[in-house]
Amino acid sequence: MLERLGRFLLRRRWAVLAATLAVVVAAGVFGGSAITRLKAGGFDDPDAESTRAAAVLRDEFGAGDPNLVLLVTAKGGQVDDPAVAAAGEALTRRLAAEPDLAQVVSYWASGAPALKSTDGGQALVLGRITGDEEGMDERAAALTAAYARDDAALSVQVGGQAQVFREVGEQVESDLARAEAIAVPITLLLLVLVFASAVAGSLPLAVGGFAIVGTLLVLRVLAEVTDVSIYALNLTTALGLGLAIDYSLFIVSRYREELRAGREPADALVVTMGTAGRTVLFSAATVAVSLLALLVFPLYFLRSFGYAGIAVVALAAIGALVVLPALLAVLGRRVDRFPLPLLRRRAAAAAARTQPGTGFWHRIATAVMRRPVPVALAVVAFLLLLGTPFLGARFGLPDDRVLPPSAEGRQVAEAVRANFATDESSALSVVAPGIGDPMAHLAEIDGYAAALSRLDGVERVDALTGSYAGGARLQGPLAAGDGAAVPPEGRRFAAADGTWLSVVGSVEPYSAAGEDLVAAVRGLDAPLGAQVTGPSAQLVDTKASLFGNLPAAGAIIAVVTFALLFLMTGSVVMPVKALVLNLLSLTAIYGAMVWIFQDGHLAGVLGFTPTGTIDTSMPVLLFCIAFGLSMDYEVFLLSRIKEEYDRTGDTVASVAAGLERTGRIVTTAAALLAIVFIAFATSQVSFLKLFGIGTALAILVDATLIRALLVPAFMRLAGQANWWAPAPLRRLHARVGLREAPGASGA
């Protein structure tokens, strides 16, 4: 099939390139606006209790967590000073009159002590921007421009979830531009050095541009029908550029090898498509399968990475198997134009001095296979040691501290944490809909609110019947069933047939104590039946959703990867070995993730603020992406080893030859891909920094410790068992297994 495709591209190369140009232009025009359609949320399960309760709170009560916070600081005085108080009251009235804004409350309007700082120099104005996330970003920007001020009397800073999400979106956009400005020139320079030719070195970037622009169009279309996270843009650019480099390295290197072997350009292209093209196709399938598992999760943050990843892998493969061969068909021997003579002469001299079976990677493989047991034990022990910090992993959700300290949304949140007794915007909400007239249940609400206020970690409970602390009702005795006893400020907790209660905690919401508080609230007998929402409840439900769906995602990856590797090798041992070694390599990455980003080592060097937790979704995301990229190199190596084994029947010689023929190109591809992800690790959003560094480490560990040491060691220990399969599966592979093109001899 791939050889036929190669012949077709030879005949229709100009038509294919013209169609490609038209597609790229159209994708650039329509996909260029994708970033304006993407969202900064997606960290909650739409079917979770906390999400459903938040929807009831919004739709039936017109309430919800405040997402806008104005921090008012009195200059050289107190917020109770007459001039400051007058300004605060005016600010509150002005904000309450804004469209698309609800639940505006302030210290000056309510007198609530929790809205005044402990030193009396700051106070809060809270509100909730209504509407969807896209509109929330626009309103947050407009409100920031209208209300942020700093004069001689007071300063007003704008924060809250809406502001943080808006600033994250802006930060991601600027980070992408910086990462591309770093990654593209460096990779172009290195590719030119690797190929010793300006023309050959620029081809992978052309494929990468095709994949990235095409994926932007896919995301733009998807954003019209479903929620898509803005963070997926980082994966789109990094993976598109990285896989384009990987696949193009194999295609171009094989094509040049066939030219050097004396083939005519047309024949060289056909052989390249039947050999290296097959490997690229298999590799793309394994990476896409790993990313497909992300669609199992209901969080659109993770699903968006799946959408973007699958699209960019497919387009990188199409670029490498259609666009790149068409370019090679046009270039012919001119692929080596604009050479770097010094590098070309050195490469030729090195190749002349090195006989087959004596190269660096051949010597590495041979040395490992002479002592497979001590090498395997040492490397496995080292990887497990690196993974031990993960045993102490603590999971959380992103908050304002993902932003750099200069971000206004973070500065407001830091001031609230440091200077205020409680964070009113992080309260739990306990929702009890469908109970009928809440005025008929005042006694039950009173008892339930008092019980909630006695729980450890609860500062205050606000309800229809008043405010409570330590089991006592702060406003005095309640005449059960007497609607007149309901304080006016409590009527916001009532709807036609339901009520809700606000549980203000004294603990950090994204912490173990916050999770314990959720468990205590949900474990308390609710006389009216209730659902719990709020930041801490969202954390609990997100963890349950992720860990509950993880087995299904792992099963998809394992089963489909096993099937693909079986079709390639005809063995059941090789796929199992590949799965186990890839999981082993991830232990080191998870340990590094906890040691650096949770525990804060290297925080000063890398420029982030540790929070004592790691984002709950990051291990899942890294598992799927790093596993897929690891299998990428596994396919490159195993395809060459299998080809040698089919030719010689000698496992040891096949492993050494396979590593020799692929070692240089896999190492080069891995180094370039790691550089791309490290460039994206310069992001000022901390969990994107974690993603970039974690993926780069996974690539480097896999290309060195796994491919160069553990694969030869384990294959030497298994011997002929490497190729074992039950008789029925052997017959199946004989009928449907995938093999190199007849007579192929390259990597």
Side-chain angles (χ1 to χ4, degrees), residues 13 40 78 116 139 191 310 387 431 516 537 543 569 657 700 728-729 731:
R13 52 188 178 271
Q78 300 287 298
K116 183 171 73 169
R139 289 296 291 139
L191 284 167
I310 293 169
V431 186
D516 291 342
K543 289 173 66 174
T569 64
L700 295 176
L729 290 181
R731 290 192 293 271

Side-chain angles (χ1 to χ4, degrees), residues 213-597:
V213 173
T215 304
L216 289 177
L217 177 59
V218 172
L219 294 179
R220 174 69 175 80
V221 172
L222 285 173
E224 294 298 319
V225 297
T226 188
D227 293 328
V228 181
S229 172
I230 194 171
Y231 306 112
L233 290 175
N234 293 70
L235 181 67
T236 296
T237 306
L239 202 58
L241 189 57
L243 289 180
I245 290 170
D246 274 8
Y247 299 159
S248 300
L249 273 172
F250 268 73
I251 297 293
V252 175
S253 295
R254 181 55 192 265
Y255 178 72
R256 297 171 80 201
E257 179 184 332
E258 294 299 331
L259 290 178
R260 289 194 298 270
R263 294 186 189 272
E264 290 299 314
D267 294 333
L269 183 61
V270 172
V271 172
T272 297
M273 292 294 288
T275 53
R278 169 188 178 272
T279 302
V280 166
L281 188 62
F282 247 110
S283 170
T286 57
V287 177
V289 165
S290 295
L291 295 168
L292 179 67
L294 289 170
L295 302 185
V296 169
F297 299 96
L299 284 68
Y300 79 76
F301 170 78
L302 287 178
R303 294 174 69 89
S304 299
F305 279 87
Y307 301 146
I310 293 169
V312 81
V313 169
L315 288 167
I318 292 171
L321 296 176
V322 177
V323 180
L324 180 58
L327 287 170
L328 293 175
V330 170
L331 290 171
R333 297 187 185 278
R334 289 173 294 181
V335 71
D336 288 328
R337 287 286 301 273
F338 306 113
L340 303 180
L342 179 60
L343 291 177
R344 183 72 58 83
R345 287 195 297 270
R346 287 182 177 177
R353 292 193 303 269
T354 303
Q355 299 300 316
T358 62
F360 171 77
W361 292 105
H362 190 283
R363 293 195 298 271
I364 290 287
T366 302
V368 169
M369 288 189 289
R370 280 199 297 266
R371 300 176 182 83
V373 173
V375 170
L377 289 177
V379 175
V380 169
F382 179 64
L383 291 174
L384 292 177
L385 177 64
L386 292 179
T388 53
F390 192 68
L391 298 175
R394 296 183 297 276
F395 300 103
L397 291 177
D399 61 15
D400 57 279
R401 288 169 289 185
V402 305
L403 289 167
S406 59
E408 185 171 1
R410 175 173 172 177
Q411 291 174 355
V412 170
E414 294 278 19
V416 172
R417 272 192 293 270
N419 303 333
F420 290 77
T422 59
D423 183 357
E424 300 288 313
S425 65
S426 296
L428 293 176
S429 298
V430 182
V431 186
I435 64 171
D437 183 3
M439 295 301 178
H441 300 279
L442 292 180
E444 293 165 290
I445 295 170
D446 176 62
Y448 184 43
L452 285 170
S453 71
R454 284 192 291 268
L455 295 175
D456 290 340
V458 173
E459 181 77 19
R460 190 184 77 254
V461 175
D462 296 328
L464 177 64
T465 52
S467 294
Y468 300 77
R473 184 171 180 267
L474 302 180
Q475 278 87 356
L478 170 72
D482 182 5
V486 176
E489 64 270 15
R491 297 185 184 275
R492 66 188 177 96
F493 294 102
D497 65 346
T499 188
W500 66 282
L501 303 88
S502 175
V503 181
V504 181
S506 59
V507 296
E508 179 69 27
Y510 294 146
S511 67
E515 294 182 67
D516 291 342
L517 178 57
V518 173
V521 172
R522 287 177 172 172
L524 189 66
D525 182 36
L528 305 174
Q531 296 177 324
V532 181
T533 187
S536 300
Q538 181 193 359
L539 171 60
V540 171
D541 292 343
T542 298
K543 289 173 66 174
S545 176
L546 288 174
F547 298 146
N549 285 286
L550 191 57
I556 290 173
I557 292 174
V559 170
V560 182
T561 300
F562 181 93
L564 286 171
L565 291 181
F566 168 75
L567 291 175
M568 187 177 75
T569 64
S571 164
V572 298
V573 176
M574 298 279 270
V576 171
K577 181 268 303 175
L579 290 169
V580 171
L581 293 188
N582 284 344
L583 288 174
L584 184 62
S585 71
L586 286 176
T587 62
I589 310 311
Y590 282 178
M593 179 172 61
V594 169
W595 189 79
I596 296 172
F597 288 93

Side-chain angles (χ1 to χ4, degrees), residues 134-158:
E134 185 176 349
M136 188 170 69
D137 283 353
E138 295 174 357
R139 289 296 291 139
L143 291 170
T144 299
Y147 287 89
R149 58 184 276 195
D150 188 4
D151 55 37
L154 53 82
S155 71
V156 178
Q157 292 176 283
V158 181

Side-chain angles (χ1 to χ4, degrees), residues 621-642:
L621 184 62
L622 278 178
F623 174 81
C624 294
I625 292 175
F627 190 94
L629 293 176
S630 296
M631 292 306 301
D632 187 29
Y633 298 127
E634 181 78 15
V635 168
F636 288 166
L637 178 57
L638 286 186
S639 65
R640 187 65 184 100
I641 292 174
K642 180 64 167 62

